[in-house]
RNA sequence: GACCCUUUCAUCUAGCGGCCAAGGAUGCUACGUUUUCAACGUAGAGACAGAGGUUCAAAUCCUCUAAGGGUCGCCA
């Protein structure tokens, strides 16, 4: 059975790059009807944060990623790790190192000065003498001294690293707590992971973890190292590039399905297909199709996807979602019309909410440019007589086409061009030159409100004369 | 600096030696549609990092160069 996991350390919010690797892992598990596990990497007791954990879980819930079983906390498994440390110590596969931090710093500086890769020199590897007093030892694992550590990466192909590049790294701190590379290998093995999908910043951890697997006799999972997501300029994604926190996307008015669709196409593809529903992703995703190279974040494409998902969202679902963005239109008698008239005008839910308010609420002021252009000449007379005409139809008009017919009749009898009434009317209704069609707006707000807005505009024009 | 990884339009990508004078998508530019904007439709501009091989044939294989990135913690 396929088992994958997401293993964040609770040090902050869920990053968009983290969400992508989580998504890749989740899709792999769901594709094979396997298990997707969540494990919290909190071995560094001083850096844990409950807040961060909550944020991660909240983000998972928002985008709809579910996990199987209980969340595993490494901080609750120290006894288990201790047993493996003792085992390695007993078998001579690990040893106590009495080198102080200061000595280690000096060693590293020397190596860097010699332009070498900094690493532990193994001085306590075969130490049998009397340990120096006053030093709490760390425990180091014995890494192979020669040969290569080779593994097949599902994304990058064969990775070969010389054994002497991997030092006898620390598996337990001097306070006895175990370290990352040690516990990751143990947990991945014990939790039955078959595929480990993670960012390629972990590529160099893999040989270290392989040392642990070998020492403990565990079987290796398949590793996939996914390249990073860069910003639009191709540089490392940072907070300055805008939203990196997954939950920020909710506030900005993005739909989770759009965000997921965007992320799945960053570093993965299936022919020319751009739009993937969740079930299509599950059906089509295969980690072997993940790209080797880094990709860049592209807001325009995310916006396009978001607009696509907004346009295609059923109206009843849209109503509920919109409630979180300050628009409560549940039960509105022209709901369908309202949404159909505005849906295509917002790339985000925030924009859509604004569009809806524009239709629903009479303009509080008029865009100066629009007013200047549309409220000139005999605009007020035209508007006034159109309002008069419209009043005759009170209670009889329901659909945009019916309002349109009245407009047509008006221009016909007045012998004026369509724009002569349409433009001033638009500005009267919306306060702006752009926006939903006037026929639709009138149909949504009805004759009474239309007349009211026209009166308001006429008052505004007269006042300005 | 050492080690490892990467390199197709501005961006996401297709491409697995002949189907490629390189396809799709976003963005951009026109045009159409529309009372306006948007949406939509049609068209257009736009790339194999460079140099050498291998081969009848290379975006695809090999080598080098260049540029980007990652890693070098008693962090994860």
């Amino acid at each position: 059975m396929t088992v994958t996991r997401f293993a964040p350390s609770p040090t902050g919010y869920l990053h968009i790059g983290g969400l992508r690797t989580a998504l890749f892992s989740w899709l792999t598990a769901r594709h094979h009807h396997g298990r997707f596990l969540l494990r919290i990497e909190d071995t560094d007791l001083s850096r844990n944060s409950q807040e961060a954990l909550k944020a991660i879980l909240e983000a998972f819930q928002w985008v709809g990623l579910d996990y199987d079983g209980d969340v595993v906390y490494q901080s609750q498994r120290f006894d288990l790790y201790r047993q493996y440390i003792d085992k390695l110590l007993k078998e001579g596969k690990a040893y106590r190192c009495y080198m102080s931090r200061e000595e280690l710093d000096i060693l590293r500086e020397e190596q860097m000065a010699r332009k070498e890769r900094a690493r532990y020199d193994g001085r306590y590897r075969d130490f049998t003498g009397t340990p120096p007093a006053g030093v709490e030892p760390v425990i180091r694992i014995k890494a192979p001294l020669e040969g290569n550590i080779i593994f097949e990466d599902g994304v990058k192909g064969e990775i070969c690293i010389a054994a002497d590049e991997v030092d006898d790294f620390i598996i337990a701190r001097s306070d006895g707590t175990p370290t990352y590379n040690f516990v990751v290998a143990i947990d991945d093995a014990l939790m039955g992971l078959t595929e480990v999908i993670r960012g390629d910043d972990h590529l160099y951890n893999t040989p270290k973890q392989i040392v642990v697997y070998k020492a403990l006799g565990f079987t290796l999972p398949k590793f996939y190292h996914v390249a990073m997501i860069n910003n639009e300029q191709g540089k490392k994604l940072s907070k300055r590039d805008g939203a990196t926190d997954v939950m920020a996307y909710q506030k900005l008015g993005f739909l989770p399905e759009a965000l997921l669709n965007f992320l799945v196409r960053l570093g993965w593809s299936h022919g020319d297909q751009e739009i993937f529903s969740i079930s299509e992703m599950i059906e089509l995703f295969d980690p072997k199709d993940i790209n080797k190279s880094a990709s860049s974040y592209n807001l325009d494409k995310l916006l396009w996807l978001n607009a696509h998902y907004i346009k295609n969202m059923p109206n009843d679902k849209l109503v509920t979602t919109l409630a979180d963005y300050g628009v409560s239109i549940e039960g509105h008698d022209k709901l369908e019309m309202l949404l159909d008239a505005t849906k295509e005008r917002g790339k985000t839910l925030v924009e859509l909410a604004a569009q809806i308010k524009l239709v629903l609420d009479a303009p509080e002021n008029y865009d100066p440019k629009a007013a200047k252009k549309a409220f000139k000449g005999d605009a007020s007379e035209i508007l006034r007589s159109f309002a008069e005409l419209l009043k005759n139809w009170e209670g009889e008009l329901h659909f945009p086409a019916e309002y349109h017919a009245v407009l047509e009749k008006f221009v016909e009898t007045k012998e004026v061009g369509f724009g002569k009434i349409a433009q001033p009317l638009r500005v009267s209704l919306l306060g702006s030159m752009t926006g939903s069609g006037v026929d639709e707006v009138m149909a949504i707000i009805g004759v009474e409100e239309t007349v009211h807005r026209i009166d308001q505009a006429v008052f505004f024009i007269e006042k300005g004369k």
Side-chain angles (χ1 to χ4, degrees):
Chain A
M1 180 164 73
T2 300
V3 183
T4 65
R5 50 79 162 171
F6 182 57
S9 62
T11 49
Y13 56 75
L14 180 60
H15 189 272
I16 188 145
L19 178 59
R20 187 186 58 162
T21 45
L23 175 63
F24 285 180
S25 297
W26 182 81
L27 290 173
T28 303
R30 293 292 171 256
H31 176 84
H32 294 286
H33 306 287
R35 287 167 64 77
F36 174 67
L37 309 174
L38 186 59
R39 186 176 73 221
I40 304 300
E41 314 254 303
D42 53 356
T43 50
D44 187 347
L45 273 10
S46 60
R47 293 180 18 150
N48 289 351
S49 141
Q50 276 301 115
E51 289 304 301
L53 176 59
K54 262 177 65 186
I56 291 165
L57 261 18
E58 185 192 16
F60 259 56
Q61 191 172 27
W62 178 58
V63 299
L65 294 193
D66 56 345
Y67 53 89
D68 300 303
D70 295 326
V71 178
V72 173
Y73 296 87
Q74 293 187 320
S75 57
Q76 293 171 5
R77 292 159 68 86
F78 279 11
D79 287 346
L80 177 74
Y81 306 136
R82 188 71 236 174
Q83 288 170 28
Y84 283 102
I85 289 169
D86 289 343
K87 183 173 188 282
L88 291 181
L89 240 24
K90 201 171 293 169
E91 292 172 359
K93 291 174 178 166
Y95 59 94
R96 293 187 175 77
C97 169
Y98 295 90
M99 199 172 177
S100 69
R101 287 170 207 253
E102 293 71 31
E103 288 175 294
L104 208 47
D105 288 342
I106 292 166
L107 175 68
R108 269 198 273 268
E109 272 171 42
E110 285 170 359
Q111 286 168 330
M112 292 297 246
R114 267 184 271 128
K115 301 180 193 295
E116 287 171 13
R117 192 175 151 80
R119 53 200 188 281
Y120 176 64
D121 62 4
R123 64 180 68 172
Y124 282 98
R125 186 175 168 114
D126 300 307
F127 181 72
T128 48
T130 318
V135 180
E136 278 302 318
V138 297
I139 295 165
R140 290 181 181 273
I141 192 166
K142 284 185 179 171
L145 296 174
E146 49 196 33
N148 295 310
I149 297 176
I150 298 168
F151 65 96
E152 183 67 23
D153 186 277
V155 175
K156 315 235 182 210
E158 185 184 281
I159 304 290
C160 173
I161 287 161
D164 63 8
E165 288 293 326
V166 179
D167 63 4
D168 290 353
F169 62 94
I170 292 171
I171 58 173
R173 303 180 180 93
S174 39
D175 67 0
T177 56
T179 60
Y180 175 76
N181 281 119
F182 185 62
V183 299
V184 166
I186 291 175
D187 284 337
D188 282 346
L190 261 32
M191 289 163 79
L193 272 285
T194 55
E195 353 266 325
V196 170
I197 301 170
R198 68 212 331 185
D200 77 356
D201 48 340
H202 285 286
L203 194 68
Y204 244 88
N205 289 144
T206 307
K208 292 185 177 182
Q209 291 168 20
I210 288 174
V211 171
V212 178
Y213 276 92
K214 292 266 167 68
L216 261 13
F218 293 142
T219 41
L220 290 176
K222 177 105 183 162
F223 293 102
Y224 295 85
H225 289 97
V226 186
M228 304 279 96
I229 299 175
N230 294 326
N231 67 14
E232 306 201 39
Q233 288 74 239
K235 300 287 176 197
K236 193 176 175 173
L237 201 56
S238 77
K239 290 182 188 74
R240 317 181 88 185
D241 299 309
T244 50
D245 175 3
V246 169
M247 289 315 287
Y249 287 86
Q250 184 189 39
K251 292 183 199 81
L252 291 167
F254 287 94
L255 255 14
E257 40 273 66
L259 184 61
L260 256 22
N261 195 148
F262 171 69
L263 289 175
V264 84
R265 284 287 287 104
L266 242 37
W268 177 81
S269 60
H270 184 261
D272 286 340
Q273 189 170 343
E274 295 289 346
I275 306 291
F276 295 88
S277 67
I278 303 292
S279 52
E280 278 177 308
M281 285 183 206
I282 292 174
E283 188 194 330
L284 300 171
F285 188 81
D286 187 328
K288 79 168 169 39
D289 298 325
I290 295 172
N291 278 183
K292 292 167 190 263
S293 51
S295 42
S296 292
Y297 177 92
N298 182 212
L299 184 63
D300 283 329
K301 193 150 186 181
L302 209 207
L303 284 166
W304 171 73
L305 281 164
N306 203 232
H308 170 86
Y309 281 100
I310 289 176
K311 269 180 287 180
N312 289 285
M313 186 173 244
N315 285 346
D316 56 337
K317 209 179 156 202
L318 205 46
V319 171
T320 348
T321 311
L322 243 14
D324 295 332
Y325 296 86
V327 169
S328 36
I329 46 173
E330 180 133 33
H332 190 284
D333 62 340
K334 296 283 171 54
L335 194 67
E336 297 291 319
M337 225 181 260
L338 174 62
L339 255 16
D340 290 342
T342 49
K343 227 168 171 179
E344 287 171 357
R345 272 164 247 270
K347 284 188 188 297
T348 65
L349 293 165
V350 172
E351 285 177 16
L352 177 57
Q355 285 294 332
I356 291 173
K357 281 182 193 156
L358 212 56
V359 174
L360 255 26
D361 306 337
E364 284 174 14
N365 44 48
Y366 303 97
D367 172 49
K369 270 190 192 157
K372 198 177 169 199
K373 217 172 162 188
F375 289 166
K376 64 182 181 199
D378 54 355
S380 64
E381 288 82 69
I382 299 258
L383 281 170
R384 212 199 302 269
S385 51
F386 177 67
E388 285 308 314
L389 177 67
L390 204 56
K391 277 182 200 162
N392 299 327
W393 297 91
E394 176 111 46
E396 290 174 50
L397 268 23
H398 303 284
F399 300 103
E402 293 167 344
Y403 282 86
H404 191 76
V406 176
L407 265 175
E408 284 205 322
K409 179 167 282 178
F410 179 78
V411 297
E412 205 174 296
T413 52
K414 286 277 169 187
E415 293 182 335
V416 293
F418 211 100
K420 194 83 176 163
I421 175 66
Q423 293 301 357
L425 182 57
R426 161 181 311 287
V427 180
S428 308
L429 294 172
L430 299 173
S432 138
M433 246 355 202
T434 65
S436 306
V438 287
D439 302 338
E440 282 78 14
V441 176
M442 289 192 290
I444 293 161
I445 63 178
V447 169
E448 196 187 332
E449 174 66 12
T450 302
V451 170
H452 168 71
R453 290 191 194 180
I454 292 174
D455 287 347
Q456 232 180 11
V458 168
F459 178 75
F460 173 83
I461 299 168
E462 304 284 312
K463 193 180 66 181
K465 275 184 178 164

